[in-house]
Amino acid sequence: MAKDTVILTGDRPTGRLHIGHYVGSLRRRVELQNAGDFKKMFVFIADAQALTDNIDNPEKVRQNVIEVALDYLACGLDPEKITIFIQSQIPELCELSFYFMDLVTVSRLQRNPTVKTEIGMRGFESSIPVGFFTYPISQAADITAFRATTVPAGEDQKPMLEQATEIVRRFNHIYGDTLVEPNILLPQNAVCCRLPGTDGKAKMSKSLGNCIYLSDTAKDVGKKVKSMYTDPTHLRVEDPGHIEGNTVFTYLDAFSKPEHFAAYWPEYQNLDEVKAHYQRGGLGDMKVKKFLNKILQEELEPIRQRRAEFEKDIPAVYEMLKKGCEEARAVAAETLSDVRRAMKINYFDDAELIAEQAKKFASK
């Protein structure tokens, strides 16, 4: 990654973050942060976006801002190395969104696959809040305000990045080169793009209650792994089992490493051997689940411990967020100033315009 790279990514504060967020983005963010191969890195809590479909429950969003901040810090995101901020505290984003709305048609938004999927999931049908419908535009404002070149995200977000790129190109075509085109950075492990829920459903979701949260106790994690969806046709140990659609093996694909076998299951060299045994029969689900549980506990215990430490000083976490908002707003203000200049609406800063018009009217 080049030294002039600017990274931007974030999460909606509608609940505590879960291991789907962790393998899909959080773990990679920490790796990118610690590698330090970037000019600037921004991670934001998208509370304004969360309100687009929670407008009647602002307290839910308000309470979960701190939950997400704690999860960020617990995972290892470091405010000394990156900027962590709250979306709603950067008013420049609203102004950018307003200008970008003139660059996008309603039909183009309707064709956005991510928007169509999200609308279907929430059952909006024809009663779509305008704020939710236009959130690809808001997302483009988030990205361009910080001149982000790189946006770590899952495969499902590709249509959003494509729309942001279209907005940037249209703006630059009309007003001259002002905004930076973003590129998506997908998870290295394809399995991590979208981890299924513990019940086997395609998406891990807070509303479906099929999540393993980063802040879950060891006991809760153990219970959730024990009840995890496997292969419904694998009724007896000796029965051949199926790997495809088997949530336990999907999680092992996402979390297991070669060293885990030596530590917790030395009778196997790697995951391929476990899969082969399961598929030919003779390997019970509970043994596989016990192995997965040990791996998850190893991964999550340091996160739980760090979170507990940060929970002891909540005012300090808010102070960190306030400082991050101030840093982020200064950058967004610079971009907005460039946008206003390009659009020729920087009236009071344009000395040439004032002088030209003064001369024009004086000659009458």
Side-chain angles (χ1 to χ4, degrees):
M1 199 170 287
K3 283 292 183 182
D4 60 350
T5 298
V6 177
I7 301 168
L8 178 118
T9 184
D11 299 280
R12 288 160 47 100
T14 52
R16 294 173 293 152
L17 300 182
H18 51 64
I19 61 172
H21 295 115
Y22 181 67
V23 297
S25 59
L26 288 172
R27 186 165 61 183
R28 187 77 183 279
R29 291 176 200 172
V30 175
E31 290 170 356
L32 291 169
Q33 166 198 276
N34 294 340
D37 196 17
F38 55 84
K39 179 181 178 182
K40 196 74 179 171
M41 182 169 174
F42 298 93
V43 180
F44 70 102
I45 301 173
D47 61 328
Q49 191 181 111
L51 284 169
T52 61
D53 57 331
N54 288 281
I55 196 63
D56 57 346
N57 192 5
E59 192 62 26
K60 172 185 174 183
V61 176
R62 178 183 176 85
Q63 292 296 330
N64 279 305
V65 165
I66 191 67
E67 295 283 1
V68 172
L70 287 167
D71 284 331
Y72 281 171
L73 296 170
C75 285
L77 290 177
D78 184 350
E80 295 298 318
K81 297 178 180 178
I82 66 171
T83 301
I84 303 173
F85 68 95
I86 303 172
Q87 183 186 35
S88 65
Q89 303 308 296
I90 318 297
E92 288 78 5
L93 301 178
C94 293
E95 188 170 342
L96 276 176
S97 297
F98 183 76
Y99 299 146
F100 289 173
M101 285 181 187
D102 295 329
L103 304 174
V104 184
T105 64
V106 171
S107 61
R108 175 63 184 91
L109 285 174
Q110 288 173 327
R111 292 197 306 272
N112 187 307
T114 304
V115 174
K116 289 166 74 173
T117 300
E118 295 286 349
I119 286 171
M121 284 175 57
R122 287 164 174 77
F124 283 148
E125 297 176 355
S126 61
S127 57
I128 311 163
V130 172
F132 185 86
F133 182 61
T134 59
Y135 86 81
I137 299 173
S138 169
Q139 201 168 70
D142 297 333
I143 294 166
T144 57
F146 303 100
R147 303 188 186 279
T149 61
T150 305
V151 181
E155 189 84 28
D156 61 319
Q157 289 300 305
K158 284 180 76 173
M160 307 298 280
L161 266 293
E162 288 167 3
Q163 186 133 41
T165 299
E166 287 176 17
I167 289 171
V168 169
R169 288 177 180 172
R170 182 130 197 258
F171 186 97
N172 288 346
H173 175 73
I174 296 170
Y175 302 111
D177 288 339
T178 307
L179 303 175
V180 177
E181 285 190 27
N183 293 298
I184 193 168
L185 181 66
L186 295 169
Q188 293 170 315
N189 184 343
V191 176
C192 298
C193 287
R194 176 161 287 196
L195 205 62
T198 55
D199 56 1
K201 291 185 177 175
K203 186 176 181 181
M204 187 176 287
S205 165
K206 303 156 195 160
S207 59
L208 295 174
N210 60 1
C211 304
I212 294 177
Y213 294 101
L214 296 172
S215 54
D216 275 346
T217 64
K219 186 177 180 181
D220 285 339
V221 172
K223 282 182 180 178
K224 290 177 180 181
V225 172
K226 192 174 181 179
S227 63
M228 194 175 283
Y229 180 86
T230 56
D231 172 11
T233 68
H234 190 237
L235 303 176
R236 298 171 299 176
V237 172
E238 59 268 26
D239 290 339
H242 295 88
I243 302 301
E244 298 76 17
N246 189 320
T247 306
V248 176
F249 281 98
T250 303
Y251 279 43
L252 286 173
D253 280 329
F255 284 97
S256 69
K257 301 172 186 175
E259 56 265 32
H260 289 142
F261 294 89
Y264 304 126
W265 214 354
E267 59 194 278
Y268 298 100
Q269 295 283 319
N270 51 50
L271 186 55
D272 286 338
E273 289 187 7
V274 177
K275 288 180 177 179
H277 192 174
Y278 188 81
Q279 287 173 309
R280 69 175 178 265
L283 179 59
D285 288 316
M286 288 313 299
K287 280 192 175 183
V288 186
K289 288 181 177 181
K290 284 179 183 178
F291 178 56
L292 174 60
N293 181 52
K294 287 176 181 176
I295 293 171
L296 291 180
Q297 299 294 358
E298 178 186 300
E299 190 87 30
L300 296 177
E301 183 56 28
I303 295 173
R304 283 193 288 258
Q305 290 180 4
R306 285 194 295 266
R307 197 182 206 272
E309 288 301 309
F310 285 113
E311 286 175 353
K312 293 176 182 177
D313 194 352
I314 295 299
V317 177
Y318 273 104
E319 189 59 35
M320 175 276 293
L321 289 171
K322 183 181 178 184
K323 182 182 176 184
C325 290
E326 290 167 353
E327 292 174 2
R329 188 171 183 190
V331 176
E334 286 183 13
T335 303
L336 182 59
S337 178
D338 290 344
V339 165
R340 283 168 158 265
R341 188 180 305 111
M343 295 179 69
K344 301 186 182 303
I345 55 175
N346 61 329
Y347 306 109
F348 308 122
D349 298 327
D350 193 341
E352 286 186 16
L353 171 69
I354 296 171
E356 172 196 315
Q357 294 190 333
K359 184 178 178 180
K360 170 185 171 182
F361 287 100
S363 63
K364 280 190 174 181

